[in-house]
Amino acid sequence: MLDIKLIREGEAEVRAALARRGAATHLDALLQADQQRRRLVTDVESLKRQRNTASEEIGKLKKAGQDTAAKQVAVKAIGAQIAALDDQIQQVDQELNSLLLMIPNAPHTSVPDGKSAADNQVVRMHGAPQPLAFKPKTHLELGESLGILDFGRAARMTGAGFPLYVGLGARLERALVQFMLDLHVKEHGYTEVSTPFVCNSAAMTGTGQLPKMAEDMYYIPTDDLYLIPTAEVPITNIYREEIIERPLPIYLTAYSPCFRREAGSAGRETRGLIRVHQFDKVEMVKFVEPETSYRELESLVANAEDVLQRLGLTYRVLALCAGDISFAAAKCYDIELWAPGQQAWLEVSSCSNFESFQARRALIRYRTKAKKVDYVHTLNGSGVALARLVVAILENGQTADGAINLPEAIVPYMDGIRRLEPGQSPKL
RNA sequence: GGAGAGGUGGCUGAGUGGCCGAAAGCAGCGGUUUGCUAAACCGCCGUACCGGGUAAACUGGUACCGGGGGUUCGAAUCCCCCCCUCUCCGCCA
């Protein structure tokens, strides 16, 4: 969330920044609640001071054996006033908090203007889409002919949008996870963690999934827990309500499955692995000092790009415009892979700087060089998302005879298998 | 899931109704002494919010002893609910 003091003192700037997102703002109600709260707090605290002084006096008098009945009655009256004010404060606090939680992050000045995905800017390309010498198949056709994907059986046990990988398909998935984790841990300086795949509402609120995105998550009412839509949630929440005493930056990475209801997106890009309710992902999260966060964002993107470069894939990096960045982000780059079967760019990574937005919600702080407590900046990026990565590897690696040439970098993780051919993978 | 024991500041750990935001020790920071390291000695050493002050230093106040509620003039301390940890039993990959 945004700093209420910043909103109070820099209202015009905050309004202007939020307007760039096209976000409807309820700053008036917020500022009014803030003002009311401060007035009430000042009042109740002076009453509490009176009560404390009087109670102390009663204690002394009692010790001296004097009668304090009259005084006690008087203090009790103060207590009643305090209780009434405290109730009001609680209400205003709640209102203030729920308003604050609904306000999105302010876009950074370097974020391009724009209303929608159409206004995102391509900041660089790696390679360029090359026409194949034959009509490319889609990953669905390839997956079926190779026998490595089975959507029908998955739908029977769960429903549409839940992939079942078979044989070398499952193997490829596992190999890619291993490859990416190794790269981030051994070469990019991340520490690997393995987290819970369900989180409580406090954690979800901390990273910004709640309250706004409740509809997009799978929820388990019996235990009041949510399936994670991304490992960002458990990783970032590792330091929730802590003052981090070790030196920054901290880089963490984790593999996790991701669960998304994708409510409202039925019929949109829903074929095959493009948009699924469950997919695997390797995620990177950084906890950094505020002054360094935009430099850290660039290196985070570079870490994600490194994955794709080593896999020899064609991709482009987009700077999302103010109207398209996610709720919690101050700046965001997307990385998209070229998929010849789809004739489309597929988003496989989203790298964001949240500045102190998540840190404020989740109370993640550190000590500055001057020993003051301050909020960290958090960043995260996919490094990268699996299902669409598999799509790109299949569709880019395909040959005229329906086989797949695998990227050299994962061959060691595939026990030396360089090529997937029809009939090669074990059948169900 | 059942029974019992606990949750106090970065850590260890005292405190069972007012003199407690909390003893003591360790760690940390500053200083004195010191050939260096070490030791000794002295001082400092929680967070949030509201106010004063230049959004610094500093300063007045309020709250916080797992979380929430209650009793009381007054709660770390008494009562209730919840969460977590440990031990034992049950179940189990």
Side-chain angles (χ1 to χ4, degrees):
Chain A
M1 66 182 122
L2 296 177
D3 184 0
I4 181 67
K5 281 186 208 138
L6 185 81
I7 299 175
R8 192 191 298 151
E9 286 154 25
E11 190 189 338
E13 288 85 347
V14 172
R15 274 187 198 280
L18 291 178
R20 293 184 68 213
R21 304 184 68 119
T25 55
H26 9 251
L27 292 192
D28 291 331
L30 185 82
L31 288 166
Q32 202 185 334
D34 173 53
Q35 200 177 9
Q36 195 188 352
R37 178 184 167 275
R38 283 188 295 151
R39 206 190 63 230
L40 289 169
V41 165
T42 310
D43 289 353
V44 82
E45 285 188 354
S46 95
L47 285 174
K48 282 181 179 170
R49 185 185 189 178
Q50 284 178 41
R51 180 175 68 181
N52 288 345
T53 317
S55 292
E56 209 172 311
E57 202 186 324
I58 289 169
K60 283 179 188 153
L61 291 173
K62 278 203 163 177
K63 212 165 215 177
Q66 301 193 28
D67 176 57
T68 57
K71 278 195 185 295
Q72 288 187 29
V73 171
V75 177
K76 191 163 190 163
I78 299 178
Q81 286 182 61
I82 289 172
L85 282 175
D86 271 341
D87 280 353
Q88 283 185 57
I89 288 171
Q90 202 179 353
Q91 275 182 36
V92 174
D93 252 341
Q94 245 170 44
E95 188 192 336
L96 189 63
N97 209 258
S98 60
L99 287 170
L100 261 178
L101 286 176
M102 294 298 277
I103 295 179
N105 204 350
H108 188 250
T109 48
S110 66
V111 171
D113 284 323
K115 288 193 186 105
S116 71
D119 302 314
N120 294 338
Q121 289 181 2
V122 178
V123 294
R124 60 184 165 271
M125 300 264 294
H126 181 83
Q130 301 294 330
L132 298 181
F134 52 93
K135 184 176 187 308
K137 294 179 177 146
T138 68
H139 71 282
L140 274 176
E141 298 167 302
L142 293 164
E144 191 182 342
S145 61
L146 294 166
I148 60 174
L149 280 173
D150 189 334
F151 280 96
R153 284 186 165 113
R156 196 163 62 207
M157 72 181 86
T158 305
F162 289 87
L164 171 63
Y165 298 88
V166 181
L168 292 177
R171 179 61 195 262
L172 176 60
E173 186 83 358
R174 176 160 60 91
L176 286 166
V177 168
Q178 187 96 332
F179 160 70
M180 291 190 280
L181 284 173
D182 279 353
L183 180 61
H184 296 317
V185 169
K186 291 179 185 170
E187 302 198 28
H188 298 155
Y190 290 75
T191 299
E192 184 177 352
V193 293
S194 178
T195 70
F197 298 155
V198 288
C199 281
N200 58 31
S201 60
M204 290 295 175
T205 307
T207 35
Q209 275 70 28
L210 289 178
K212 276 203 92 169
M213 268 72 90
E215 292 302 301
D216 292 320
M217 291 191 290
Y218 289 98
Y219 175 61
I220 307 164
T222 323
D223 298 296
D224 195 17
L225 293 170
Y226 297 83
L227 271 61
I228 56 170
T230 160
E232 162 197 346
V233 177
I235 305 174
T236 306
N237 275 281
I238 286 173
Y239 290 109
R240 180 156 57 93
E241 289 168 42
E242 285 192 34
I243 297 171
I244 300 175
E245 300 289 352
R246 45 168 293 201
L248 299 178
I250 294 171
Y251 296 174
L252 301 178
T253 186
Y255 152 78
S256 89
C258 302
F259 303 93
R260 301 187 181 181
R261 294 189 61 235
E262 300 291 350
S265 61
R268 203 168 88 213
E269 293 176 346
T270 51
R271 299 262 298 152
L273 288 175
I274 308 295
R275 184 180 291 273
V276 281
H277 292 304
Q278 179 185 325
F279 60 93
D280 291 310
K281 179 160 61 64
V282 169
E283 182 76 0
M284 305 174 283
V285 173
K286 291 182 170 188
F287 303 84
V288 309
E289 294 179 84
E291 310 79 61
T292 66
S293 67
Y294 281 92
R295 248 181 298 145
E296 294 282 1
L297 176 61
E298 296 303 320
S299 70
L300 180 69
V301 177
N303 293 154
E305 286 181 68
D306 194 20
V307 170
L308 306 179
Q309 286 174 16
R310 286 174 193 244
L311 294 174
L313 295 167
T314 297
Y315 67 84
R316 62 182 191 181
V317 178
L318 304 179
L320 298 199
C321 73
D324 200 37
I325 55 176
S326 69
F327 180 77
K331 181 166 186 173
C332 179
Y333 291 108
D334 275 2
I335 304 176
E336 297 183 336
L337 283 178
W338 176 249
Q342 314 290 316
Q343 287 293 302
W345 295 97
L346 302 179
E347 179 190 334
V348 289
S349 179
S350 193
C351 299
S352 306
N353 183 359
F354 301 94
E355 298 187 358
S356 60
F357 189 86
Q358 292 181 326
R360 249 173 235 292
R361 291 174 160 244
L363 290 175
I364 305 171
R365 294 160 295 170
Y366 78 110
R367 284 183 207 282
T368 65
K369 288 175 189 71
K371 299 292 173 199
K372 300 261 289 177
V373 172
D374 195 12
Y375 293 102
V376 301
H377 279 193
T378 58
L379 302 91
N380 69 54
S382 342
V384 300
L386 260 295
R388 293 175 187 166
L389 176 62
V390 169
V391 171
I393 286 174
L394 295 181
E395 294 188 0
N396 281 290
Q398 63 181 302
T399 58
D401 56 0
I404 311 288
N405 288 321
L406 293 177
E408 200 57 39
I410 60 155
V411 172
Y413 291 93
M414 292 292 290
D415 263 350
I417 297 171
R418 330 185 91 77
R419 196 172 150 85
L420 304 183
E421 290 167 2
Q424 176 191 16
S425 182
K427 294 268 186 301
L428 289 178

